[in-house]
Amino acid sequence: MLPDLAPWRASRDFRRLWYSGLVSNFGSFLTFVALPVQLKELTGSAAAVGAIGAVELIPLLVFGLYGGALADAWDKRKLIVWTEAGQGLLSAALLLNALLPEPAVWPLYVVAALSSALVSVQRPALDSLWPRIVAHDHLPAAASLNSFRWTLGGVAGPALAGVVVAYAGLGWAYGADLLTFVVSVALIVRIAAAPASHEAAKPSLRAIAEGARYAWSRKELLGTYAVDLAAMFLAMPLAVLPFLADELNAEWSLGLMYASVPAGALLVSLTSGWTARIHRHGRMVVLSAALWGLAIAAAGVMGNVWLVLLFLTVAGGCDMVSGIFRGIMWNQTIPDELRGRLAGIELLSYSVGPTVGQVRSGALAAWWGVRTSVWSGGVLCAGAVGLLALCLPKLMTYDARTDEHAAQVREQRAAARV
């Protein structure tokens, strides 16, 4: 049941990148909580908080695909360093705005949009770098360790943010985020260079289209994108959590609500050794995504804050199971020269859903109520995932032991070591 530490022991660059991601994620979750809280204080509107997703959407769509092409054509380490430094400057802008006697609303949306653009460029480079610095047989273990890193920051960051924002102020949260980016950049610059593969295409619309055609030809990959997109669009309640805490007369619980989903994911990560013995990854993606929806629906129905926290934790665990097996499928079956562009498509699949989902949940909460917004999205998610499983049978029959694409990547990695 315990996580496999083989990638940690075998690769120094893996350890450095892991530490960098832990520190950076910790700070980002501070801002993740502070930004909607500040918007709520300044506007008092659930729709205004949900609109964060709207301003993040266009940069995500534009730069996600192009960022994947850049990751295939440029040095991945340099892309990660420069985008991480840019994120630090945006945290500084939030800090300065929060320190004003009367903070403005518009900088919050501008920073959200610019941050979305930088993340969209960075994530394909990050996602395509991991398989280069980790042995092929260690990829499932690396996926679990990366999930553990994300969830560790996701639990500690929101929980601390709730205390920091309530007792120290928004400026302290933004300032701490800025400091984490400084530490993260210092770690990343020590990683070995990761130049483009000689087969990689130069960044262009044609190169992006080539990656899209490959993704479309792989129906099992297409299924992972569609399932995650549906789950996050229909059942992502994070934008309305500040209002849910108010409705339950438990304002003190907001930090715990934000931390509950990562806490469930952390529990799965800490007991992820079993994932290496699962070979039908597509079935696990479908099952865990459906259970995520049902757990979110239960959280929306409950009137007791502790039961809400329990079901949010269960949902986080289900989402982590889905994420682990999606990551294994992607890393074990996509050839190196296409990895960046496919990572860009993956970024859209797991980012567009939550981004647009914030708009959906905020708007529905404004029209029909916060709890209706939460439980109805969970029910729709479970139904949509079941329908997708019926429409994409290759996702359900995928087996890593016999899949031809997994075999080709194994051969490619073996030949590269010779």
Side-chain angles (χ1 to χ4, degrees), residues 24-40:
S24 180
N25 285 344
F26 181 85
S28 296
F29 275 110
L30 290 174
T31 297
F32 180 75
V33 173
L35 190 62
V37 168
Q38 188 175 19
L39 267 174
K40 174 179 174 287

Side-chain angles (χ1 to χ4, degrees), residues 47-341:
V49 176
I52 295 175
V55 301
E56 291 174 339
L57 179 59
I58 293 177
L60 188 63
L61 293 172
V62 173
F63 290 97
L65 293 175
Y66 192 67
L70 288 175
D72 279 336
W74 290 7
D75 187 300
K76 296 173 177 58
R77 184 194 62 177
K78 290 182 179 178
L79 272 177
I80 296 168
V81 168
W82 285 109
T83 51
E84 195 80 349
Q87 290 277 54
L89 292 176
L90 294 179
S91 295
L94 289 174
L95 174 59
L96 292 174
N97 183 61
L99 295 177
L100 293 175
E102 295 184 6
V105 171
W106 65 266
L108 306 183
Y109 290 114
V110 171
V111 167
L114 293 175
S115 178
S116 177
L118 289 174
V119 169
S120 300
V121 173
Q122 184 186 81
R123 285 302 294 267
L126 272 172
D127 291 345
S128 58
L129 179 59
W130 292 112
R132 281 203 179 186
I133 61 178
V134 174
H136 185 80
D137 292 342
H138 293 167
L139 287 175
S144 296
L145 289 173
N146 285 335
S147 300
F148 172 69
R149 176 212 71 202
W150 181 87
T151 54
L152 190 59
V155 171
L160 180 60
V163 176
V164 171
V165 170
Y167 296 101
L170 293 161
W172 284 94
Y174 295 140
D177 191 16
L178 172 59
L179 180 61
T180 62
F181 281 119
V182 174
V183 175
S184 176
V185 169
L187 288 168
I188 297 172
V189 295
R190 301 179 64 192
I191 294 172
S197 171
H198 67 277
E199 297 93 352
K202 299 300 180 183
S204 65
L205 292 177
R206 181 177 180 180
I208 293 172
E210 180 186 1
R213 284 194 297 271
Y214 177 83
W216 183 259
S217 70
R218 297 277 311 279
K219 300 307 181 190
E220 68 278 17
L221 287 184
L222 192 65
T224 65
Y225 303 150
V227 165
D228 191 49
L229 185 64
M232 295 297 100
F233 170 66
L234 294 170
M236 177 54 75
L238 298 185
V240 300
L241 290 185
F243 300 91
L244 181 60
D246 287 349
E247 191 165 306
L248 294 171
N249 295 316
E251 292 83 356
W252 54 268
S253 69
L254 178 59
L256 293 177
M257 286 186 181
Y258 277 116
S260 292
V261 173
L266 179 62
L267 291 174
V268 169
S269 299
L270 288 172
T271 57
S272 60
W274 61 274
T275 60
R277 296 185 291 276
I278 302 295
H279 304 288
R280 295 187 177 274
H281 303 144
R283 292 185 180 181
M284 293 302 296
V285 169
V286 169
L287 176 62
S288 53
L291 291 176
W292 151 271
L294 294 176
I296 292 295
V301 170
M302 297 299 162
N304 181 285
V305 66
W306 294 107
L307 289 177
V308 171
L309 292 171
L310 172 63
F311 281 108
L312 288 175
T313 303
V314 172
C318 295
D319 185 47
M320 179 51 62
V321 172
S322 175
I324 288 174
F325 287 109
R326 291 197 314 270
I328 294 173
M329 287 181 66
W330 297 340
N331 289 330
Q332 286 191 336
T333 66
I334 297 172
D336 186 67
E337 65 273 13
L338 286 168
R339 226 177 258 284
R341 280 165 285 174

